[in-house]
Structure formats: C-alpha cells, structure tokens
Amino acid sequence: MEDQSGSIAHELVARTRREVAETADAIRSHRFLTHLRARDVPRERLRALAGEQYAIVSSDRRSFAQLAARFPSGLGGEFFLDLAGSEGLALDKLRGLAGWLGLTDDDLRAHELHPGAQAYPAFVAWLALNGSRAEVVLAFLANLAAWGENCGQVAAALREAYGAGDDAVAFFEFFANPPEDFESRALDVLGEGLAAGDSPMLARRATRLLQAYELSFWDALSEGL
C-alpha cells in the first residue's frame, strides 16, 4: 500500500506541475525580474520587497507551526516543524537585505502591505487551518520550484546590477537552494496523506490557487514600474 501511495503521489505531482506550468512560466519570466536586471527598480521598491517578505515569512512560519500541531503523528509533524524552522532562518537572513537597504526591524514591521502581495500568505494561513496534508504539500512542491528559481534570479540581479554583497542576497540564495531531501520528504508526506484519504482534487485546486497568488506577489511588486 505504501509503494502504491508513493506512485500515486509522483503521478499527482507530475500532473499538477503540468497544469500550473503556464503560471509558473509567467512567474519565472516576470517583468519585475527584467526591471531588476536593468536596474530600473528604485530603492524604495526594494525596501517594499523586504517589508512584504518580512510579513510573508513571519506568517508562513506560524502557519507551518500550526500544521505541525494539526498533524503531529506520522511524517507530517516533523516535516512541517522543519519548515517552520526554515522560515525562522529565512527571517534572520532577511535582516541582511534590510540592513543593506537601511531598514530596521521596526521599519519592516511598519511597512504598509500591498494586498496583492499578501494574498499568498493569507492562503497559506487558510490552508494551515483548513487544508489537508496533501493540499499543503502538493501546493508547495509545485510552487517552491518557481519561487526558488526567481530567488536565484533576484540574487544575481542584485549582485550584478546593484552591487549587493553576500549578506544582502543571503535571503534569496537561501530559498534558491532548498535542502536536497526536501522533495523526497514532501513526496512521502503527500503519499501518507493520500493513503489516509486526502482529496487529490482539492490538492490540485490548492496548488492552482497558491501558484496564482505567487504570481500576484510579483505583479504587486511591479505595479507602476
């Protein structure tokens, strides 16, 4: 049964990635990245990027902790707890970007958030309260590939176009290089959820929505550029 669940999980991931491929391509080729490489993103917009990410990562850390509490047994509990810990590490690295931009923690907290940029963590928080293991894990398996690739592009553009140093880009490079075992562990949790009766249809829906909210984040950053 475990092998069958694993096979179903792999097939579901492959199918869902095909279904959201168009949105993923729109994220990877977003105009914000083009503006960034051309040094056309003003410093104030980079400060907004830091402020939005401070709110997103802070929220996601609490969401993953909530998921660990909801699914403490099996593979899910440790997996979600590790994700919460990773978000905490990301917050520490974000301070390197903030310092380069002249922002304090108080400045990050005071940033006036863009609703389009915050749709993503709002949905993650909804999933933390209402979603199944399969919904959460499938959505992140599909989404983190595009997010990680964009983080790599942002880090490279900040270095090359803006002269940013290691500390300033550490946050983005952290997400651009996820742990090697992330996907295999996520697939195991997905298989566990499917074996317990989680709905593949709802998991695919959650993935489609999360990917769309990721695109909304980049659209919000690009507004007016």
Side-chain angles (χ1 to χ4, degrees):
M1 174 63 78
E2 185 174 349
D3 290 342
Q4 183 180 0
S5 297
S7 176
I8 293 171
H10 278 86
E11 292 171 5
L12 182 61
V13 170
R15 174 184 179 180
T16 306
R17 282 175 170 163
R18 290 193 297 271
E19 290 174 344
V20 299
E22 184 175 345
T23 307
D25 287 343
I27 292 168
R28 293 185 177 101
S29 61
H30 202 278
R31 64 187 181 277
F32 180 82
L33 301 170
T34 304
H35 287 303
L36 198 63
R37 286 189 289 266
R39 212 176 187 278
D40 289 338
V41 178
R43 190 174 182 84
E44 196 55 38
R45 189 61 59 90
L46 294 177
R47 290 162 67 96
L49 168 59
E52 298 291 348
Q53 279 301 318
Y54 182 82
I56 290 169
V57 176
S58 298
S59 176
D60 284 355
R61 180 171 62 169
R62 290 189 291 270
S63 293
F64 288 131
Q66 171 67 20
L67 283 161
R70 283 185 61 207
F71 303 106
S73 60
L75 301 173
E78 184 177 354
F79 178 74
F80 292 128
L81 199 59
D82 285 348
L83 288 181
S86 293
E87 297 296 312
L89 290 174
L91 273 179
D92 287 339
K93 294 180 184 297
L94 183 62
R95 292 186 173 90
L97 175 66
W100 179 64
L101 294 168
L103 297 170
T104 66
D105 280 5
D106 286 342
D107 293 327
L108 293 172
R109 283 190 288 269
H111 170 69
E112 289 298 330
L113 301 173
H114 191 297
Q118 295 300 312
Y120 179 100
F123 184 59
V124 175
W126 185 92
L127 286 173
L129 290 175
N130 301 286
S132 67
R133 283 167 292 184
E135 287 173 74
V136 175
V137 173
L138 183 64
F140 275 93
L141 270 171
N143 174 254
L144 287 182
W147 164 244
E149 187 171 327
N150 272 28
C151 282
Q153 294 191 67
V154 170
L158 289 177
R159 285 187 184 277
E160 295 165 12
Y162 293 82
D166 291 347
D167 287 348
V169 302
F171 172 82
F172 298 106
E173 291 184 339
F174 176 75
F175 282 111
N177 299 286
E180 291 184 2
D181 65 346
F182 170 77
E183 181 151 340
S184 63
R185 292 182 66 196
L187 281 166
D188 288 342
V189 177
L190 176 59
E192 187 177 70
L194 293 172
D198 292 352
S199 166
M201 182 272 290
L202 292 180
R204 288 166 49 218
R205 176 189 292 171
T207 305
R208 177 179 56 80
L209 289 172
L210 191 67
Q211 199 83 319
Y213 294 141
E214 170 77 18
L215 180 58
S216 175
F217 168 79
W218 296 103
D219 287 345
L221 287 180
S222 302
E223 214 170 71
L225 294 180

